Amino acid sequence: AKWIEAAPDRFIASPFIFQPDEAGLEQMRSKFDEGFYTGMGEIATQLNGLAPNDPRLESYFALAEELDLPTLIHTEGIGPELPGFRTAAGSPLLLEDVLVRHPKLRLYVENSGYPFRDEMIAMMSQYPQLYGDVSTITWLIPRTAFYDYLEALVTAGLGKRIMFGSDQMRWPEMIEKGILAIEEADFLTEEEKRDILYHNANRFLEMNQGNQ
């Protein structure tokens, strides 16, 4: 809230969703109605073992589609060491029911679904409204593993829908390392690097239409 107050044109406020709760959703709606929240997520319910197609999340996706909110979901094979986390709940294929029910939902996947490469390629190829980011995998896994994954997505023709993300939690110094991982990728053209670092997010977030 302090960031929004200090620079309202530079941030998109979004609620972090750890456990789905209808009462909590109604409280969120008031924040959306007043214009404070303009995004949805991170939807981090995988940390509790919930798959994205769990019925308890349906009302969140419905609201995000209704309000045309950029929506972030943690759907990948790695995560924090929590007792409820389930790798199987991170398969990008589990997003299919969500995307079919909500064809106008602007959804992006944390770390582009790593390490579910083929599943993510299939989903992004089939559903053009689906984007992915690259955040902690720019430094958390070996650089060669990150490059193998990123190159596979770009080679599959998905370079226009991959966005850089920070997600550095309490380690802001890792943002620089993440940017360098993109800039030093010799398999990317300068245009592809700029797409990942700026243009793709500019398009997905509709920054030229009011959001900055």
Side-chain angles (χ1 to χ4, degrees):
K2 291 179 180 178
W3 290 9
I4 297 297
E5 183 179 356
D9 295 330
R10 297 192 67 183
F11 298 100
I12 296 173
S14 302
F16 181 85
I17 300 158
F18 185 68
Q19 184 70 44
D21 175 21
E22 286 298 326
L25 180 63
E26 289 306 312
Q27 293 176 355
M28 286 179 199
R29 184 181 279 273
S30 66
K31 289 289 188 180
F32 287 116
D33 290 342
E34 69 185 45
F36 178 78
Y37 284 148
T38 52
M40 178 71 80
E42 176 186 354
I43 298 175
T45 49
Q46 185 193 357
L47 279 57
N48 290 314
L50 269 66
N53 58 356
D54 189 291
R56 285 170 285 183
L57 290 174
E58 171 58 23
S59 54
Y60 290 86
F61 292 124
L63 179 62
E65 183 182 38
E66 174 192 340
L67 301 180
D68 190 27
L69 304 172
T71 302
L72 168 62
I73 187 167
H74 187 290
T75 298
E76 56 179 309
I78 58 176
E81 294 181 1
L82 295 174
F85 180 84
R86 294 294 180 270
T87 294
S91 171
L93 296 178
L94 299 174
L95 292 169
E96 188 157 32
D97 291 341
V98 175
L99 294 169
V100 169
R101 283 195 299 268
H102 305 286
K104 296 181 179 180
L105 177 66
R106 285 192 285 147
L107 185 66
Y108 70 109
V109 174
E110 189 169 332
N111 282 315
S112 295
Y114 181 87
F116 296 109
R117 182 195 64 186
D118 292 345
E119 293 90 336
M120 195 63 189
I121 289 174
M123 290 299 296
M124 290 181 72
S125 299
Q126 188 68 25
Y127 300 96
Q129 71 269 41
L130 183 64
Y131 280 57
D133 80 14
V134 286
S135 51
T136 54
I137 60 170
T138 60
W139 59 271
L140 186 63
I141 63 175
R143 177 72 71 86
T144 52
F146 168 57
Y147 280 171
D148 285 347
Y149 197 77
L150 178 61
E151 187 171 16
L153 295 175
V154 173
T155 300
L158 303 171
K160 295 290 186 182
R161 283 190 278 140
I162 301 169
M163 305 180 290
F164 177 79
S166 56
D167 194 22
Q168 304 314 328
M169 298 157 281
R170 62 180 69 92
W171 305 289
E173 68 275 7
M174 303 311 292
I175 296 175
E176 180 180 1
K177 293 183 181 296
I179 292 172
L180 285 174
I182 301 299
E183 291 183 339
E184 294 175 356
D186 58 11
F187 58 89
L188 294 175
T189 66
E190 290 303 311
E191 179 182 355
E192 289 169 337
K193 294 174 185 178
R194 188 62 177 161
D195 283 342
I196 292 171
L197 292 172
Y198 175 73
H199 289 298
N200 296 343
N202 182 59
R203 184 187 327 108
F204 178 82
L205 297 173
E206 299 180 350
M207 292 165 63
N208 294 332
Q209 298 183 33
N211 291 331
Q212 301 296 320

